[in-house]
Amino acid sequence: MILLLVLILAGSPTSLTEQQQRRIAGLQMSSAIPGDPTNRIWDNEQAAVLGQRVFFDPGFSRNGEVSCATCHDPALGFADGKPLPMGLAQGERHAPSLLNVAGHRWFFWDGRADTLWAQALHPFEREEEFGSSRLEVLHRIHSDPLLRSQYEQVFGSMPQLDDINRFPPRARPGRNTQATEVVAWNAMAEEDQEAVNIAFANLGKAIAAYEHQLITPPSDFDRFVDAMLAGNQKGMTVLSPAAQRGMLLFVGEAGCRQCHNGPLLSDLEFHNTGIPNADGSMPSDPGRWKGIQLLGENPFRANGAYSDAPESRRGQSTASLARNSEHWGAFRTPSLRNLNQTAPYMHQGQFSTLGEVLDFYNTLEGMVVMDHHQETVLAPLGLTSGQLADLEAFLLSLSSPPPNASLMAPLPLEDPHSP
Ligand code: HEC
Ligand code: HEC
């Protein structure tokens, strides 16, 4: 133990305890991200081609200018580099990176989607994102020969959208029963609504078939773990002494791994860290509390009618969700991979640098404590500036080169899969 301390203080922690090794190995991105049984076309290549085309296509937004890539830009780690996103209007939460996104269990900061395919349906109908409606989206696919043939190759015939008496140009369900689109939706026959919902869910599944491929190659940290497990001391020098010291703080006294563990350095669950609002006001975003309610109300969920495996474990864990007061103001633990590309940080982009994030954890200055709502895990760390720099060096060692280049841009118009 004393020897170990000496080595750490000397700057080269070459010997690690078994517990440290176990904890460190638990952060490696080793095995493949599991598939999603609620999406039967998860691994269908043609579906992924359709999904990629839609992802980069601004034609699905009301003003023809916003695509998924507007806020999830491949050049910015599939995030947007801004505190708050700008689609048709400014959003209220920061746009997360989509790198390795399929490794999550719940999607959005509040987890109001439980599958990647169901998540993908939200932006189309959100006022501040695409401001469109599911009928407009499907009409666009139906009237575009390439999109339509790609859709029909994977899913079979589209609904008979030529008949605009049955399938109005703009319609979607909604609470505001005065809105033109909602009036049009409510006037549709139930079986036509059902056919539209199935086709809309299919589109989400195609987008997910693309998105789950956004996996990053191994980082220096992952290479370090390979070397550590192989007992290859030389290989372990891929991490600088500072990054190695930061890594030991991360899995040790800084307590980060309580929430940031597993291959994404996220427990995939929700916590209230008491980060103040960007403008200093009291937090009013209910986070997971509202997220659980919204998920339960959404027909597009893992245990719902449009799921391909409602009885799967994923479906069952949605079915058994229950709210408690600790969910109020809790947000999903973000992945800590590729932070070099995804500033600013936190659910409102409150912090523009990693240094600011670490200063917060170190002092908890400005932390908002919401009486009984709060967990009590966080305590000020009181680390030295040298230790904070070490932690930052470790966090940056979790950065990888981008995913496969073919996924990073709109597809050429010629369908690469046609003969
Ligand atoms: C106007 C900006 C904007 C557009 C356009 C947009 N997104 Fe997002 N996206 C966001 C924001 C902001 C969030 C987080 C919102 C929240 O948590 O409430 C998000 C969340 C996500 C997530 C969840 C990530 C996670 O880690 O949980 C996925 C996946 C995603 N978007 C994919 C898409 C796809 C696919 C499209 C196009 C169909 C799209 N986005 C269009 C801003 C945007
Ligand atoms: C109690 C659980 C918990 C602990 C402990 C914890 N975090 Fe976090 N971390 C979170 C949550 C939740 C968020 C998102 C909070 C938000 O946006 O409101 C977050 C956000 C972050 C972010 C921003 C990531 C991004 O993309 O926005 C970084 C970086 C980070 N944590 C690093 C650390 C480090 C380093 C430690 C240890 C010093 C640590 N965390 C300890 C739960 C935790």
Side-chain angles (χ1 to χ4, degrees):
M1 190 61 198
I2 289 171
L3 175 67
L4 178 68
L5 269 176
V6 169
L7 285 170
I8 294 170
L9 292 173
S12 69
T14 44
S15 101
L16 300 164
T17 67
E18 242 175 67
Q19 186 193 51
Q20 285 171 328
Q21 294 205 26
R22 216 176 31 248
R23 290 178 171 185
I24 292 165
L27 305 176
Q28 194 186 24
M29 186 101 121
S30 45
S31 51
I33 285 174
D36 174 5
T38 72
N39 179 354
R40 68 192 181 288
I41 51 115
W42 180 258
D43 276 324
N44 180 312
E45 253 181 70
Q46 280 179 315
V49 167
L50 171 64
Q52 182 167 357
R53 184 147 280 142
V54 173
F55 188 90
F56 288 98
D57 186 343
F60 287 98
S61 60
R62 198 199 303 141
N63 67 359
E65 288 173 15
V66 183
S67 74
C68 307
T70 303
C71 304
H72 304 289
D73 180 349
L76 299 170
F78 287 85
D80 65 356
K82 302 184 178 106
L84 296 175
M86 184 57 83
L88 293 187
Q90 189 170 66
E92 290 178 347
R93 293 196 190 127
H94 176 62
S97 162
L98 303 189
L99 293 172
N100 310 307
V101 65
H104 278 291
R105 170 63 193 86
W106 309 102
F107 302 91
F108 291 121
W109 288 100
D110 60 5
R112 69 185 179 280
D114 58 356
T115 63
L116 206 45
W117 62 267
Q119 187 291 325
L121 303 176
H122 288 246
F124 291 100
E125 293 187 334
R126 259 182 95 87
E127 250 340 281
E128 68 272 30
E129 297 192 18
F130 290 176
S132 186
S133 67
R134 61 195 68 176
L135 265 294
E136 282 168 279
V137 169
L138 295 182
H139 276 293
R140 181 178 157 80
I141 293 177
H142 191 258
S143 61
D144 178 305
L146 178 59
L147 290 173
R148 180 172 174 182
S149 85
Q150 287 183 334
Y151 177 97
E152 294 192 333
Q153 275 169 39
V154 179
F155 300 109
S157 304
M158 292 194 79
Q160 290 172 350
L161 290 147
D162 295 320
D163 185 347
I164 60 163
N165 293 320
R166 283 172 59 199
F167 297 100
R170 300 176 61 168
R172 61 175 169 82
R175 272 178 214 278
N176 178 1
T177 51
Q178 313 291 307
T180 339
E181 290 95 335
V182 179
V183 172
W185 176 264
N186 290 339
M188 286 174 65
E190 218 172 288
E191 66 265 25
D192 290 343
Q193 292 177 340
E194 184 62 14
V196 164
N197 283 345
I198 291 171
F200 193 43
N202 284 342
L203 178 64
K205 290 171 186 175
I207 293 174
Y210 161 65
E211 287 174 311
H212 82 76
Q213 301 181 56
L214 301 174
I215 307 275
T216 51
S219 64
D220 284 349
F221 168 75
D222 300 304
R223 274 190 272 278
F224 171 89
V225 180
D226 281 337
M228 177 188 81
L229 295 175
N232 168 2
Q233 296 282 335
K234 181 140 182 293
M236 287 164 73
T237 59
V238 65
L239 280 199
S240 68
Q244 293 192 37
R245 291 191 302 265
M247 173 184 76
L248 293 183
L249 282 168
F250 190 93
V251 299
E253 70 174 276
C256 312
R257 68 176 280 283
Q258 276 182 74
C259 304
H260 295 283
N261 56 47
L264 296 189
L265 295 96
S266 165
D267 59 0
L268 315 181
E269 288 298 332
F270 302 80
H271 301 277
N272 188 333
T273 52
I275 294 167
N277 278 352
D279 63 5
S281 63
M282 283 300 279
S284 54
D285 188 332
R288 186 56 171 156
W289 170 256
K290 185 83 181 288
I292 291 178
Q293 181 197 334
L294 293 172
L295 176 59
E297 291 167 3
N298 194 327
F300 300 111
R301 51 173 205 271
N303 63 336
Y306 306 98
S307 166
D308 297 322
E311 304 297 330
S312 59
R313 253 178 57 201
R314 195 174 272 260
Q316 282 172 12
S317 70
T318 294
S320 61
L321 272 182
R323 295 207 286 190
N324 67 54
S325 66
E326 278 199 350
H327 289 130
W328 206 97
F331 296 94
R332 196 193 63 203
T333 311
S335 161
L336 299 183
R337 290 184 173 270
N338 308 299
L339 293 171
N340 63 328
Q341 291 189 76
T342 58
Y345 307 106
M346 305 297 178
H347 72 278
Q348 291 180 346
Q350 284 100 322
F351 297 131
S352 47
T353 64
L354 285 178
E356 286 176 30
V357 174
L358 294 173
D359 281 343
F360 172 78
Y361 282 115
N362 203 36
T363 61
L364 297 184
E365 207 176 293
M367 179 174 182
V368 185
V369 181
M370 307 288 286
D371 54 61
H372 60 282
H373 293 320
Q374 196 104 354
E375 290 174 288
T376 47
V377 227
L378 287 179
L381 299 174
L383 300 175
T384 65
S385 56
Q387 289 175 306
L388 294 177
D390 290 345
L391 264 177
E392 183 166 344
F394 166 63
L395 292 177
L396 291 172
S397 79
L398 294 157
S399 302
S400 299
N404 193 326
S406 65
L407 302 169
M408 299 285 287
L411 290 168
L413 256 181
E414 205 69 64
D415 180 0
H417 288 263
S418 68

